[in-house]
Amino acid sequence: MKYAEVAVNSPQTQPRTFSYSIPPHIPISAGHAVWVPFGSRLAQGIVLAISDYPSVEETKEITQAIGSQPVLFRHQIELCRWIAEYYLSSYFDAAALMLPPGFERKVITFFQSASNLPEDAVSSLPIQQRNLLTILQARGKVELNELKELAGRDTIESIIGQLVREGFVIKSHELAKARVSPRLVKHLRLAVTAEQAKESLSRLERKRATKQVKLLELLLQNPEPISLPKARQLLGLTSKTVQTLIDQELISVEEVRVQRDPLSDRVFIPTSPLALTPAQEDAWLQIKASMVRVDSGAPGQNPDKK
């Protein structure tokens, strides 16, 4: 059996990992994000190392891997350790600096009825357990809070826990939906062939539909879809112009997922290197000379000394 040293998302003020055993059916490597039991709750964690032996005598099992691929590379794990040990923070807080946006999300617990349950076994259950099982069989997978409302009781954890332990109910965990949704931008493209668009240009020119003509010409010049905001900026379009061409089935609109760039509206002016002081300049020349000697394979002798 393999063991994982996990940085757990918990209120810690020191760099520390916790040992967990790795179930045989869960492929996990260093850098993987995982769900682990931590006290009475499930917590997110990052696997910092894999070993053949745990650091404590008794370990709990990792509950689930979050995703199929590691979220941190080896060099990021090393950097995480250095940050935590240098600044005396938790390993998870250090790792969080390198995690993808939306990683730290709430875990939602779901329950669902196991399949092919023997009727005699179900009928022998206590009334409270049987009622909960009936709800799950009717509704499928149900979130814990919703199950409490359906059952009319806030304290059903012990009842549902007994059903899970006896194999009547399956418990699972999922991440809550990310708060940041993908950014979708409308793009315009020709809905007809280039020849058909050129034929329509003549008709629109006779009608003096100047804006429509300009938009068609722009799309003819750009084989790839062009974003609606860019087209508006270039041509000063109105929504009516775009909609008219859509109604004539000359152009179409599609939503394209684009990468969010929080720095896109900022301009960074390059700066020149600061001037070194005489002492810094002398130190740099010595360092530079040493680097040249190492690159050339020359012996480490100071050329200024005989």
Side-chain angles (χ1 to χ4, degrees):
M1 178 175 287
K2 292 288 186 179
Y3 299 88
E5 292 298 318
V6 180
V8 179
N9 184 8
S10 62
Q12 300 178 65
T13 57
Q14 59 180 338
R16 180 187 176 187
T17 59
F18 296 84
S19 291
Y20 289 89
S21 57
I22 302 175
H25 64 281
I26 302 180
I28 288 176
S29 58
H32 249 110
V34 292
W35 287 115
V36 293
F38 195 77
S40 60
R41 65 184 179 91
L42 273 184
Q44 290 171 309
I46 303 294
V47 177
L48 298 189
I50 304 290
S51 64
D52 294 324
Y53 303 98
S55 58
V56 293
E57 291 184 4
E58 295 184 8
T59 61
K60 295 181 180 179
E61 278 194 346
I62 289 175
T63 302
Q64 184 179 334
I66 303 176
S68 58
Q69 299 295 326
V71 294
L72 293 183
F73 294 105
R74 187 164 299 279
H75 69 276
Q76 291 175 310
I77 294 175
E78 294 175 359
L79 178 59
C80 152
R81 287 184 178 277
W82 183 89
I83 291 173
E85 290 162 9
Y86 187 85
Y87 292 101
L88 299 180
S89 70
S90 73
Y91 283 128
F92 189 90
D93 287 343
L97 300 172
M98 293 166 268
L99 293 177
F103 175 81
E104 293 184 72
R105 285 180 270 162
K106 181 182 177 182
V107 59
I108 301 177
T109 303
F110 288 90
F111 297 94
Q112 64 186 98
S113 171
S115 57
N116 302 322
L117 293 175
E119 292 186 8
D120 56 340
V122 173
S123 60
S124 64
L125 291 173
I127 183 65
Q128 292 178 339
Q129 295 184 20
R130 198 161 62 247
N131 289 342
L132 276 178
L133 190 59
T134 301
I135 293 173
L136 293 175
Q137 289 174 330
R139 301 183 67 91
K141 188 162 65 173
V142 182
E143 194 263 323
L144 177 58
N145 290 332
E146 182 184 357
L147 188 59
K148 288 180 179 179
E149 294 179 3
L150 292 172
R153 297 187 59 178
D154 290 333
T155 57
I156 63 169
E157 283 90 346
S158 61
I159 302 173
I160 200 73
Q162 292 171 357
L163 289 171
V164 171
R165 286 191 294 272
E166 294 172 7
F168 290 95
V169 170
I170 299 171
K171 181 180 181 180
S172 60
H173 308 280
E174 294 180 13
L175 286 175
K177 292 183 179 180
R179 295 180 182 178
V180 180
S181 58
R183 184 187 175 202
L184 300 176
V185 176
K186 290 183 177 179
H187 280 61
L188 306 177
R189 69 184 311 159
L190 286 176
V192 295
T193 64
E195 291 73 16
Q196 291 171 323
K198 290 175 182 177
E199 292 175 3
S200 298
L201 278 176
S202 301
R203 175 176 56 82
L204 293 173
E205 286 173 348
R206 290 194 297 270
K207 290 184 176 181
R208 297 183 180 180
T210 307
K211 294 293 185 182
Q212 297 177 37
V213 169
K214 287 184 177 179
L215 179 53
L216 274 183
E217 289 176 340
L218 178 64
L219 295 177
L220 278 167
Q221 296 167 4
N222 295 273
E224 296 297 324
I226 185 170
S227 72
L228 179 56
K230 183 177 180 181
R232 281 176 171 165
Q233 182 182 5
L234 291 172
L235 306 177
L237 298 177
T238 63
S239 299
K240 182 179 179 180
T241 299
V242 176
Q243 190 60 49
T244 299
L245 291 179
I246 292 174
D247 294 340
Q248 296 178 30
E249 299 184 347
L250 293 174
I251 68 172
S252 61
V253 179
E254 60 185 32
E255 289 188 328
V256 177
R257 181 174 178 171
V258 298
Q259 187 70 30
R260 294 179 182 272
D261 184 3
L263 303 179
S264 59
D265 59 342
R266 298 186 62 180
V267 177
F268 297 92
I269 302 174
T271 58
S272 301
L274 297 175
L276 299 178
T277 64
Q280 291 172 336
E281 182 70 26
D282 181 60
W284 163 240
L285 291 175
Q286 293 184 46
I287 294 171
K288 185 178 179 181
S290 299
M291 294 169 62
V292 170
R293 286 197 300 273
V294 170
D295 289 340
S296 62
Q301 181 182 356
N302 190 331
D304 296 330
K305 294 184 179 180
K306 301 296 184 182

